[in-house]
Amino acid sequence: MTDLHDPTHEKALIIDFGSQVTQLIARRLRESGVYCEIHPFNKADAAFIKAYDPKAIILGGGPSSVPDANSPRADDYVFAAGVPVLGICYGQQTMMEQLGGKVESGHHAEFGRAFIEPKAQSSLFYGLFGPGDTEAEQVWMSHGDRVTRVADGFEVIAASQNAPLAVVADEARKFYGVQFHPEVVHTPRGSQMLKNFTHEIAGMKGDWTMAAFRQEAVRAIREQVGLGRVICGLSGGVDSSVAAVLLHEAIGEQLTCVFVDTGLMRKGEADEVVTLFRDHYNIPLVHVDAGDTFLGGLAGVSDPEKKRKFIGGAFIDIFEEEARKVGGADYLAQGTLYPDVIESVSFDGGPSVTIKSHHNVGGLPARMKMKLVEPLRELFKDEVRALGRELGLPEAFVGRHPSPGPGLAIRIPGEVTADKVKILQEADAVYLDEIRKAGLYDEIWQAFAVLLPVQTVGVMGDARTYDNVLALRAVTSTDGMTADYYPYPHDFLGRCATRIINEIRGVNRVVYDITSKPPGTIEWE
Ligand code: XMP
């Protein structure tokens, strides 16, 4: 992993046991100005921890079961490092077991909303609640096992209905364990609990800001790249644009930005990007019109992973071709974000699974010769936006909804054809126009249309129609890791459906997707 942070910054270490929400711990910490990194349990050994020099350690959750013989453990050095430790869910259970307590399976599980009642005072709940408070605190639980005996030195701080030892603490050693997940929004005051841990208990200052990140990133890019040449693929989204502007600040003319018009962009998207870079930033841009290559290669391909792999490969071929034209480039820069890295990679022995091959990480072909520069790979989306503002990108651009690298190809389930792309571009533009008119754009994390490979019967005028179904999607989210569907008023949906069916030939039915993530994903493929 590229190490972009200034070593003088205070750092927290998050040890991952494979939970899908571990990244949210990092987000919450960073929101309170604490720099942190997530590392898998089997890499975070004594030597690593000493070199990393954390001010606080958090053990995350995970799908394993502590009573199982081969379940993962934290390195014993975690408890000997002399820094505060917070165990969350599985992290709490392994901590109890490793320090001499007991964890058992087969009790009542708790999934979802639960309430904890305070049993003793703790700095973890400083300013929040304690004994004497009559109202129970809402938290989010997801566990089958539970702690049944605390380790020596620990006291029970709070209990829930099915986890009498839900929160435990050894205030002297500054070790804390919570059965619930303070990092998810369904634990409403979880952020404050985490801040209590880092700021009050571990005494961290919260000294990590975007202005500091910008300086550090510029320095790290220069260090990595030296005098090498860098090709930066611009996708039209916020991430690659922010990466390009940052790289330009760091290495100026060593950078060549390549904008690949895949023919799979949203309506007007290509022009907006080219204009922004040429006119606003004066950053030279190579504009490659590759619509035929992409559509040609996608002909007959219906499998989502095959589409993603083909698109990843086609991008690289184009970047390599452009690299040759500028006399050879040593590096390829991409706007990869932290959630992309974590979602696409599963560590050895770890249980996290590959849900999708994001084209800027998992989809890269092994044959690629250029090395990667990914200056944003430690940032979350909202941090990238903050960095974009710090770099002076226009607000309208910074606030854009995320757009996936493979573009409309993954919003057309089944085979992608030029006709389908055209229909989707037009319908999607009408949908976004309505969202903007209703003043909803900034409230929504991401909104788009999906053209389904399903035809249904309709009637227009006196004639029978047999056309495609279009699904509308809109979600709220803070980082794309989890999402809820956006609760549009019905009349808004009705307006969109009427306009789309009246204005777009080829669509005769509109449906609204009301699936959250999980269990759905945001994109359909
Ligand atoms: P999912 O569909 O996995 O999407 O819930 C989470 C977020 O990631 C975006 N996404 C991508 N971004 N390359 C990207 O740069 C990709 O291949 C890709 N696939 C999904 C998606 O739009 C959402 O914001």
Side-chain angles (χ1 to χ4, degrees):
M1 155 167 292
T2 33
D3 194 355
L4 292 178
H5 60 273
D6 181 332
T8 58
H9 274 138
E10 295 179 336
K11 289 168 278 172
L13 171 63
I14 298 165
I15 297 183
D16 186 18
F17 291 96
S19 159
Q20 296 282 348
V21 291
T22 301
Q23 299 104 84
L24 296 180
I25 306 174
R27 265 189 58 80
R28 298 285 101 81
L29 260 52
R30 290 187 189 185
E31 277 164 7
S32 62
V34 168
Y35 183 84
C36 56
E37 289 180 17
I38 301 173
H39 291 276
F41 70 92
N42 50 357
K43 303 240 169 78
D45 58 14
F48 174 88
I49 296 171
K50 282 179 193 157
Y52 184 90
D53 190 23
K55 289 274 171 295
I57 299 178
I58 297 184
L59 307 175
S64 315
S65 177
V66 164
D68 284 355
N70 293 327
S71 56
R73 294 284 176 269
D75 193 286
D76 286 338
Y77 184 72
V78 164
F79 308 108
V83 299
V85 180
L86 170 65
I88 295 175
C89 196
Y90 184 85
Q92 179 217 29
Q93 296 171 358
T94 192
M95 174 161 85
M96 280 301 96
E97 145 87 24
Q98 290 183 249
L99 296 176
K102 193 167 172 56
V103 177
E104 287 176 36
S105 307
H107 291 273
H108 283 295
E110 278 174 305
F111 290 102
R113 203 150 58 123
F115 291 89
I116 53 169
E117 282 176 27
K119 299 285 177 201
Q121 206 73 45
S122 170
S123 16
L124 197 57
F125 298 135
Y126 177 76
L128 295 175
F129 74 103
D133 280 339
T134 44
E135 280 198 22
E137 182 77 12
Q138 185 187 318
V139 298
W140 192 76
M141 296 272 197
S142 177
H143 68 105
D145 303 347
R146 69 184 193 196
V147 175
T148 50
R149 191 181 71 230
V150 294
D152 284 350
F154 281 81
E155 186 185 12
V156 178
I157 301 303
S160 72
Q161 199 179 3
N162 287 331
L165 313 181
V167 182
V168 297
D170 177 340
E171 300 280 349
R173 284 188 287 177
K174 299 190 175 180
F175 290 169
Y176 300 82
V178 293
Q179 179 58 75
F180 62 89
H181 286 269
E183 68 273 29
V184 303
V185 289
H186 316 287
T187 300
R189 299 205 287 179
S191 299
Q192 187 58 43
M193 295 171 194
L194 289 168
K195 190 171 177 192
N196 280 349
F197 176 66
T198 52
H199 289 61
E200 300 294 331
I201 294 167
M204 298 183 78
K205 292 190 287 288
D207 57 1
W208 198 62
T209 62
M210 266 310 140
F213 179 86
R214 175 183 183 172
Q215 279 179 4
E216 292 158 20
V218 163
R219 200 192 57 214
I221 292 167
R222 287 183 185 147
E223 216 169 87
Q224 185 190 357
V225 168
L227 297 174
R229 285 207 68 88
V230 180
I231 293 270
C232 178
L234 280 175
S235 70
V238 180
D239 310 338
S240 59
S241 305
V242 169
V245 175
L246 185 66
L247 280 154
H248 193 251
E249 177 165 300
I251 55 169
E253 291 183 355
Q254 286 164 258
L255 174 73
T256 304
C257 286
V258 180
F259 173 67
V260 181
D261 187 346
T262 56
L264 301 164
M265 324 279 298
R266 296 174 115 166
K267 192 174 174 183
E269 207 174 16
D271 289 343
E272 283 170 32
V273 179
V274 173
T275 309
L276 177 79
F277 275 81
R278 290 217 175 118
D279 301 351
H280 193 86
Y281 277 102
N282 212 8
I283 297 179
L285 186 71
V286 180
H287 183 171
V288 183
D289 190 352
D292 292 345
T293 309
F294 280 85
L295 276 173
L298 287 169
V301 182
S302 297
D303 178 74
E305 277 300 293
K306 286 197 180 124
K307 283 184 190 173
R308 284 172 172 273
K309 290 274 180 331
F310 164 75
I311 291 169
F315 268 111
I316 296 307
D317 291 343
I318 293 170
F319 294 147
E320 288 192 328
E321 173 68 31
E322 294 306 319
R324 272 192 291 281
K325 287 189 192 156
V326 296
D330 314 276
Y331 295 92
L332 175 70
Q334 295 200 112
T336 312
L337 303 194
Y338 207 17
D340 301 334
V341 178
I342 302 186
E343 263 192 323
S344 293
V345 176
S346 53
F347 51 80
D348 294 343
S352 88
V353 288
T354 299
I355 311 284
K356 299 175 185 184
S357 310
H358 279 207
H359 96 86
N360 44 11
V361 192
L364 286 180
R367 66 176 188 279
M368 190 182 86
K369 290 183 206 77
M370 289 181 280
K371 286 179 252 136
L372 285 179
V373 188
E374 297 178 313
L376 312 180
R377 65 180 279 130
E378 291 169 1
L379 300 187
F380 290 101
K381 191 85 186 184
D382 53 347
E383 294 175 323
V384 173
R385 291 201 164 113
L387 180 61
R389 289 188 189 102
E390 177 70 35
L391 291 163
L393 275 148
E395 194 56 40
F397 204 84
V398 171
R400 278 176 116 181
H401 290 176
S403 59
L408 301 187
I410 57 166
R411 294 176 180 172
I412 302 177
E415 188 184 0
V416 179
T417 63
D419 287 349
K420 288 186 191 170
V421 171
K422 183 85 189 127
I423 294 173
L424 181 56
Q425 280 173 331
E426 297 298 329
D428 183 73
V430 171
Y431 177 41
L432 281 185
D433 182 50
E434 284 298 324
I435 292 174
R436 287 209 171 85
K437 278 192 194 141
L440 298 175
Y441 189 86
D442 292 337
E443 267 183 48
I444 294 170
W445 161 267
Q446 201 170 2
F448 54 88
V450 181
L451 186 67
L452 304 191
V454 174
Q455 285 170 310
T456 64
V457 174
V459 52
M460 282 183 97
D462 290 328
R464 174 189 193 267
T465 59
Y466 189 57
D467 277 329
N468 287 88
V469 180
L470 187 88
L472 304 181
R473 181 91 166 123
V475 295
T476 53
S477 177
T478 44
D479 47 29
M481 301 300 305
T482 57
D484 282 324
Y485 73 88
Y486 186 78
Y488 285 125
H490 281 191
D491 60 341
F492 172 86
L493 288 169
R495 230 173 17 250
C496 290
T498 306
R499 262 196 75 188
I500 289 169
I501 293 167
N502 284 345
E503 294 176 28
I504 314 298
R505 289 197 55 171
V507 175
N508 71 350
R509 193 176 293 270
V510 173
V511 297
Y512 186 50
D513 177 359
I514 54 165
T515 320
S516 296
K517 173 183 181 178
T521 53
I522 296 175
E523 303 288 345
W524 278 44
E525 293 198 325

